[in-house]
Amino acid sequence: MRPLKAIIFDMDGVITMTMPSHQRAWTKVFADEGIRVSKFEVYSREGQKGLNSVLEIFAEHKKPITLRHAQRLLKKKESLFKANAAVRFVPGARSFIKKYHKRGIKLALVTGTARHEVMKILPEGLVNCFDVIISGSDVKHGKPHPEPYLKAVKKLNVGRGEAIVLENAPFGITSAVKAGLFCVAIETSLPKAYLKDAHKIIHDYGELEKFLA
């Protein structure tokens, strides 16, 4: 890898710890439809467009669903999440982002969350540290498709060998790797066994700083 010019972050599980709230909302929505989903079914899809998650899970459980019904379920899930979400930050995430922003490293945020929700979840001071934000509203194909990360690299105007991606879930790792980027996985949501496709696995931001030193 050439000298580091950019770091690209996923949001849920990398900067914020909102996945437990997402899981509770999804579990309720699917249970009301007679589908019991596991923690892994939800966590492994972190970063994917919500509508795709609904359609895929129904297909995997061999239950038919119309697009209109899927859209209604997504709205129901989003309402449940907003009503019960408790936003916590991954330890070390905010200070790491601010430190590397001050060092002049370009930063990007790539998340399946809609842009208006990103602005509600992250404080303005943190949002302003990012040179580029690619949300679920900005792409045609969400993770695990490489489009979100390819778009981020293009907007950052850096080479693929000059950037790293920080992810925490299989779909995001696949997206980054398919985009030709070096992917570091952090163990905030899932154990190492589920992160094996990343180039490097770390436990926390302290370990990441040592790796980048």
Side-chain angles (χ1 to χ4, degrees):
M1 190 170 74
R2 298 194 290 274
L4 184 66
K5 289 186 178 180
I7 302 174
I8 308 173
F9 299 78
D10 174 43
M11 188 170 74
D12 286 324
V14 172
I15 299 172
T16 59
M17 288 295 286
T18 52
M19 281 307 294
S21 297
H22 282 294
Q23 185 197 0
R24 285 191 292 272
W26 278 125
T27 299
K28 168 65 175 167
V29 167
F30 286 119
D32 288 348
E33 298 293 317
I35 296 175
R36 184 177 178 181
V37 291
S38 66
K39 175 182 175 180
F40 178 71
E41 282 182 279
V42 176
Y43 273 70
S44 65
R45 286 182 164 83
E46 190 272 306
Q48 184 181 42
K49 285 189 172 184
L51 187 62
N52 289 349
S53 295
V54 175
L55 295 171
E56 285 185 8
I57 287 175
F58 264 76
E60 288 173 8
H61 286 262
K62 296 179 171 57
K63 292 196 70 169
I65 187 171
T66 65
L67 181 58
R68 183 171 292 181
H69 188 189
Q71 291 168 334
R72 284 199 302 268
L73 293 184
L74 178 58
K75 285 183 180 179
K76 180 180 176 182
K77 179 265 171 182
E78 289 174 346
S79 295
L80 285 170
F81 173 76
K82 288 174 187 176
N84 301 288
V87 178
R88 293 186 297 115
F89 287 89
V90 174
R94 285 174 291 182
S95 58
F96 179 91
I97 290 167
K98 290 173 183 177
K99 181 186 291 186
Y100 278 79
H101 172 64
K102 286 180 180 177
R103 288 183 182 179
I105 299 293
K106 291 183 178 182
L107 305 179
L109 179 66
V110 174
T111 175
T113 303
R115 183 173 290 267
H116 68 278
E117 292 299 329
V118 172
M119 299 308 171
K120 290 179 184 176
I121 293 168
L122 298 182
E124 186 179 356
L126 203 60
V127 170
N128 291 339
C129 289
F130 293 102
D131 301 278
V132 170
I133 294 177
I134 304 295
S135 71
S137 320
D138 301 317
V139 296
K140 182 178 180 181
H141 305 288
K143 303 172 187 178
H145 194 281
E147 182 188 347
Y149 283 113
L150 289 173
K151 197 164 189 175
V153 170
K154 186 176 181 179
K155 287 203 166 191
L156 286 167
N157 194 29
V158 296
R160 295 186 208 181
E162 298 171 324
I164 66 166
V165 169
L166 189 59
E167 267 287 353
N168 72 303
F171 277 21
I173 293 168
T174 299
S175 176
V177 172
K178 282 184 176 179
L181 295 162
F182 187 94
C183 185
V184 177
I186 186 167
E187 293 180 87
T188 52
S189 306
L190 294 167
K192 286 182 179 180
Y194 296 109
L195 309 174
K196 63 183 186 304
D197 290 337
H199 299 95
K200 172 76 177 176
I201 300 174
I202 58 168
H203 183 67
D204 55 27
Y205 275 91
E207 193 174 339
L208 178 59
E209 289 220 44
K210 289 178 184 176
F211 174 67
L212 296 178

